[in-house]
Amino acid sequence: MVASLIPTEDEVMLRDAARGFLQESSPVTAFRANRDAGRTHDPALWKEMAQMGWTGVLLPEDAGGSEMGHRAAGILSEEMGEVLAASPFISTAVMAATALRGAANDRLAGIADGSSIYAIAVDEGPKHAPARTGMTAEKSGNAFKLSGRKVFVADGASANRVLVLARTGGSVGEAEGLTLFDIDADRAGLTRNAKHTVDERDHAQLDFDAVEATGDDVVGEVDGGMAALHTALNAGQAALSAELLGVSAGAFGMTTGYLKERKQFGRTIGSFQALQHRAAHLFAEIEITSSAIANAGRMMDEDAENADIAVSIAKARATQTAKLAVSEGVQMHGGIGMTDEFDMGFFMKRARVGAEWLGDYGYHAARVAAARGF
Amino acid sequence: MSSFSDDLDQFRSEVSAFIAEKCPQKLKDMPSSERSICWGGKRFTFSCDEQRIWMENAAAVGLTAPRWPTEYGGAGLNRAQEKVFREEMAKAKAPSPLESFGLWMLGPALLAFGTHEQKLKYLPDITNGRIRWCQGYSEPGAGSDLASVQTRAEDKGDHWVVNGSKIWTSYADKADWIFALVRTDKDAPKHKGISFMLIDMEAEGVSTKPIKLISGTSVFCETFFDNVVVPKTDEEGNSRIVGELNRGWDVAKHLLTHEREMIGGGGSGAASGVLGGRSLGAFIDTLDETIMDDPVVRSQTMELEIDTLAMSMTMERYKDMAKQGGVGHASAMLKYSGTELNKRRYELLMSITGSEGVEWDGEHGSLAPEWLRTKANSIEGGTSEVMLDILSKRVLELPSS
């Protein structure tokens, strides 16, 4: 049982500050401008986030962080989701910061000051499955040679560092025998291909052709990469769930706004019971999901070792709720919801990508079932 | 009356010692069922002597109504203390010493709208389990449209004469008194002419008739009022009307919000009945082991497990929000989502138990009647559709035209 799910005073202040900043610096119009200019994120926005200390949200103070914790990271992610602010926050400030917690302070300092942008390269097929890693890290002396392909690597094209999971032992399907490496992104033999995805964000395919890594690049233990990565993945999943809740809230806010102003048949359409009930049902789903998001953040802060089920409930719920929010959003807007000129489509496309990244509904439902003993 | 410590840790050890000493072991060992609920009242038959002893012991220190002020028979606990009390009860497997519509509905109404004298007169009888109350709201012609109640109370100077009928009055045939919505001004707009009246079920002209439900049980009754004389004031000079005359709708609305939170809570994680607090998965594990090999059953179970856990987190969150200043009309969300979820869970339970589940009293005990009973969850206390209306209009502020 975690502490109360209602926000503390500090969390309320953090949310207000984040909302104020994002509405000013990164409204949905900014996302549209980036999209039109072919930019997957805005480096200037990332710099500002670093200045405000968001990059250090999970880092200890002696590494330049503020150590506000995972619930706080979730609040920031949620606010970013609501305005579709594109940044490498989850990859870098949440996942890499968690995976590298034990590492030397100079690596963490790069995250804190915003100079390091990390990509987390795990998956090799169309579904999230860390244990299915087939990429090899062949040992030669004190060094490793990494060969294989990673797909759907978020922030993979714009990152300057990569955390990559490769097999040093065992066989495909086993969680053992995996090792996590922290390498710079321009190392010889690493080819990065940006993929143009529907959410217009940075997702890349990374091809490793005998990329050299040393023992210093290993995060955690050789063959014990999942131990190092597990909490980081949970942290990322919790933050991504929060982002998806924000996406849901953003789409829902647009929808209720539209219901209050659009007129047909001489009436405001929000007065039609058919639409009222769809909106009210969606409100209920968002409320329930937001409890799961707060719970996941609290569990990560208070008992990260046992947070699997909390995180997976959050990701499963957030995935379903976001899907409902965006499809209802388009439906209740009618024709205009289908147009590129209107923002609803952006929410729909981000929700689809977020549904897949770091494990889809089925992946997380299976983790809940395992934790509940069936 | 009560002398519990304000210090939470100290309180925990006091209340835990109290439960250990004052709640008979036999009750702690008894599985919870309809029969194990202690309702109290003049006509109540205790299922065993220990049930009576536990009720009296708890009532003696106000713990049948933990949050009510001590002067009215409660224990005067704050929310944090109450939570600790419930936790210690659960830990000791002690059943609730007393349940009743008096505790759930009339008490909160009197505390919010009653006079000091009314509270002194009625509340201690509730906390001591002496008087059992029932609720007279719905009528054959006033269901979702509750404000159109037609049961009328005619002003005859020093008394009222009540005529009409109520429906869905739970346990009316076992209750001593009824709190009812009656029309005291037939010319006023429909919300403005209703009063919240207290009527003795033993009065001449009151009769009840149980209604048999599809689940085979008959908890609900029809209650008839045939020229029932209700004195305007009792011997002590207390009015039989709670709140102002013709303003009973305010009291009713207040109580409905209360009721919604309660019914919504019934659909959350700690479901009783055949699950007895177990996860769906754990229950299914007790069945034929091949059941979970069916991918459809497995997938539905996973989805319901996720939704159930998220719902119970939401109940907790809303309880904490209530502490901080209230949830208002958003409580309609708990009622809507909690009851719809409970129906889905029971559909799944029926599906996985297959032909065994359809027996009235087979291997899975009361599963079939419980399943059928859940269908009323999204009707009683305001239908799901009324809840969605409340959310649309009051929370989302969507226009009415």
Side-chain angles (χ1 to χ4, degrees), chain A residues 4-6 260 270-271 273 276-277 280-281 284 287-288 290-292 295 313 317 361 365 372-374, chain B residues 279 281 285 292 298 302-303 305 307 313-314 317-318 320-321 324 333 336-337 385 388-389 392 396-397 399:
Chain A
S4 175
L5 297 181
I6 56 176
K260 289 174 191 176
S271 68
Q273 200 177 43
Q276 289 181 342
H277 285 196
H281 173 73
E287 276 296 292
I288 295 166
S290 87
S291 312
N295 183 61
I313 291 169
R317 284 285 319 182
Y361 186 87
R372 295 286 278 179
F374 64 97
Chain B
S279 77
D285 277 346
M292 273 302 203
R298 187 169 172 78
M302 291 195 291
E303 187 179 340
E305 196 72 8
D307 290 348
M313 292 169 199
T314 306
R317 184 163 70 89
Y318 267 61
D320 289 346
M321 276 161 60
Q324 273 207 342
M333 183 277 292
Y336 166 66
S337 300
E385 290 67 29
L388 292 171
D389 276 349
S392 319
L396 304 180
E397 296 178 331

Side-chain angles (χ1 to χ4, degrees), chain A residues 255-279 332, chain B residues 388-389 392-393 396-401:
Chain A
T255 304
T256 50
Y258 191 70
L259 290 179
K260 289 174 191 176
E261 83 192 23
R262 168 79 170 165
K263 285 197 164 63
Q264 286 287 274
F265 305 103
R267 289 168 63 180
T268 314
I269 61 169
S271 68
F272 292 114
Q273 200 177 43
L275 298 184
Q276 289 181 342
H277 285 196
R278 293 180 89 129
M332 286 193 257
Chain B
L388 292 171
D389 276 349
S392 319
K393 296 196 172 75
L396 304 180
E397 296 178 331
L398 294 177
S400 25
S401 64

Side-chain angles (χ1 to χ4, degrees), chain B residues 21-35:
Chain B
E21 187 189 340
K22 299 289 187 179
C23 179
Q25 189 59 38
K26 183 175 169 185
L27 291 185
K28 295 172 183 161
D29 297 335
M30 213 154 74
S32 76
S33 71
E34 187 71 19
R35 252 183 69 76

